[in-house]
Amino acid sequence: MDANIYITLWAVLAFVCWLMVAGGAALAGFARSINDTALERIGLAAVCLTATGAACRIFVAGWASAGDAALAASAAFYVAAVAVKHIRMPKQ
């Protein structure tokens, strides 16, 4: 029973983190204040689609390994750090 709870918690953590990554990539891709090249915006779109796909895979499968959750959490932490940097940056 405890193993099922841990697997479910890993899945929820990974699912939420991948959705956070997808949202961050989508926001960065459409942000007017960020001066990216077209290739960078295409890369952000690819990250958004990949993260959404990973979240859907976890939702359908109903489980995620500790490695899946760690990768998702590290990517979400990076998205949060970049978001904080852009929020704190004074507008010129």
Side-chain angles (χ1 to χ4, degrees):
M1 182 69 166
D2 289 340
N4 290 339
I5 292 171
Y6 290 130
I7 290 172
T8 303
L9 291 176
W10 284 126
V12 169
L13 173 70
F15 178 77
V16 169
C17 287
W18 279 127
L19 288 181
M20 183 177 165
V21 171
L27 286 175
F30 291 109
R32 293 177 190 244
S33 62
I34 300 174
N35 297 324
D36 285 340
T37 64
L39 190 58
E40 289 170 329
R41 291 190 187 263
I42 291 170
L44 286 168
V47 168
C48 180
L49 290 173
T50 304
T52 304
C56 290
R57 181 196 62 80
I58 290 168
F59 181 77
V60 169
W63 69 276
S65 68
D68 291 338
L71 180 63
S74 64
F77 181 76
Y78 174 75
V79 168
V82 170
V84 167
K85 179 184 88 168
H86 283 290
I87 289 170
R88 289 187 180 176
M89 186 185 314
K91 305 224 177 188
Q92 297 177 0

